[in-house]
Amino acid sequence: DQQVKQNSPSLSVQEGRISILNCDYTNSMFDYFLWYKKYPAEGPTFLISISSIKDKNEDGRFTVFLNKSAKHLSLHIVPSQPGDSAVYFCAANMNRDDKIIFGKGTRLHILP
Amino acid sequence: SQTIHQWPATLVQPVGSPLSLECTVEGTSNPNLYWYRQAAGRGLQLLFYSVGIGQISSEVPQNLSASRPQDRQFILSSKKLLLSDSGFYLCAWRSPGGTQYFGPGTRLLVL
């Protein structure tokens, strides 16, 4: 039973445009959400997080939006750059529990 | 600042051979530590986690084991590797705020 779902295995976006990566979750007890970026043969890098008390968190080109009623979050990257080509993992946690639940990832391709 | 090390970076092992992967963390005390595996083209699978020395929680029954002999050391082992053990192994530590930070990973190829 997948509690965190990234339904798009891959996404292609033109350089300079906005990239929108989506994530859905099923457990309403999740209260902390994270996005990670992963290049091949490297460990995931923490990008940005959001607490359930907020609906938006912004850090430079990266913005995460949280819609609790829809159990949906999204990562916006504006403007998209070639170095953004990577796999992005959505993750969720409850009550700062020991475990984080990861989605299966979305591969983002930034086209020149 | 905190850093996490994993070695080796790459390992090629024959089926049936033993395995030992090491992870160490610097700059933090008593961290939660985690072992994940990413099989080719798949997501991150949590294998083991530890909340303290000698304390290991197993998430997936298999021929792997984990140990935490010291506060900042986490070891992943196997007595006999299987072909299906091939993958990319990641160690992570958890900050008090709940974010996990990953090491550089070890690529294991079992032949």
Side-chain angles (χ1 to χ4, degrees):
Chain A
D1 178 31
Q2 248 186 294
Q3 298 189 66
V4 177
K5 301 177 184 178
Q6 294 178 258
N7 292 318
S8 297
S10 66
L11 175 68
S12 294
V13 174
Q14 206 75 35
E15 182 180 352
R17 300 286 185 104
I18 182 172
S19 293
I20 300 176
L21 297 130
N22 293 304
C23 179
D24 298 295
Y25 60 96
T26 57
N27 191 338
S28 58
M29 298 299 291
F30 287 143
D31 59 4
Y32 185 58
F33 303 89
L34 311 94
W35 284 96
Y36 288 83
K37 174 182 179 179
K38 186 182 182 302
Y39 293 122
E42 294 185 13
T45 303
F46 169 70
L47 268 179
I48 192 169
S49 63
I50 188 167
S51 165
S52 60
I53 61 173
K54 293 184 175 182
D55 53 19
K56 177 183 174 181
N57 189 23
E58 192 171 353
D59 183 2
R61 295 187 299 116
F62 302 93
T63 303
V64 56
F65 294 92
L66 176 62
N67 183 333
K68 289 186 289 294
S69 60
K71 296 193 184 70
H72 177 84
L73 66 154
S74 60
L75 175 68
H76 293 213
I77 306 174
V78 183
S80 300
Q81 298 175 353
D84 296 330
S85 293
V87 176
Y88 290 79
F89 289 99
C90 171
N93 183 247
M94 71 176 95
N95 296 325
R96 299 297 191 262
D97 189 39
D98 292 329
K99 295 185 289 184
I100 287 178
I101 309 300
F102 284 89
K104 291 190 181 297
T106 295
R107 183 176 299 278
L108 176 64
H109 300 271
I110 303 302
L111 306 171
Chain B
S1 64
Q2 299 85 4
T3 55
I4 180 167
H5 304 278
Q6 286 185 245
W7 64 90
T10 304
L11 191 59
V12 181
Q13 292 283 98
V15 170
S17 63
L19 173 74
S20 180
L21 301 181
E22 190 163 344
C23 170
T24 58
V25 181
E26 296 176 2
T28 184
S29 297
N30 196 31
N32 281 16
L33 296 174
Y34 302 82
W35 277 112
Y36 289 86
R37 176 170 61 202
Q38 185 185 24
R42 303 187 68 180
L44 299 172
Q45 180 187 33
L46 179 62
L47 301 175
F48 302 94
Y49 70 96
S50 170
V51 300
I53 295 175
Q55 300 179 64
I56 308 294
S57 296
S58 174
E59 290 295 301
V60 184
Q62 54 200 315
N63 69 318
L64 297 172
S65 63
S67 62
R68 187 164 176 180
Q70 299 179 45
D71 180 45
R72 286 171 282 182
Q73 184 185 32
F74 203 21
I75 297 173
L76 182 69
S77 304
S78 173
K79 292 181 179 178
K80 285 186 178 182
L81 283 168
L82 306 173
L83 285 173
S84 58
D85 291 325
S86 292
F88 192 54
Y89 288 83
L90 292 154
C91 182
W93 69 277
R94 177 181 172 273
S95 72
T99 300
Q100 289 185 14
Y101 296 92
F102 287 84
T106 294
R107 182 166 300 283
L108 172 65
L109 181 59
V110 182
L111 300 175

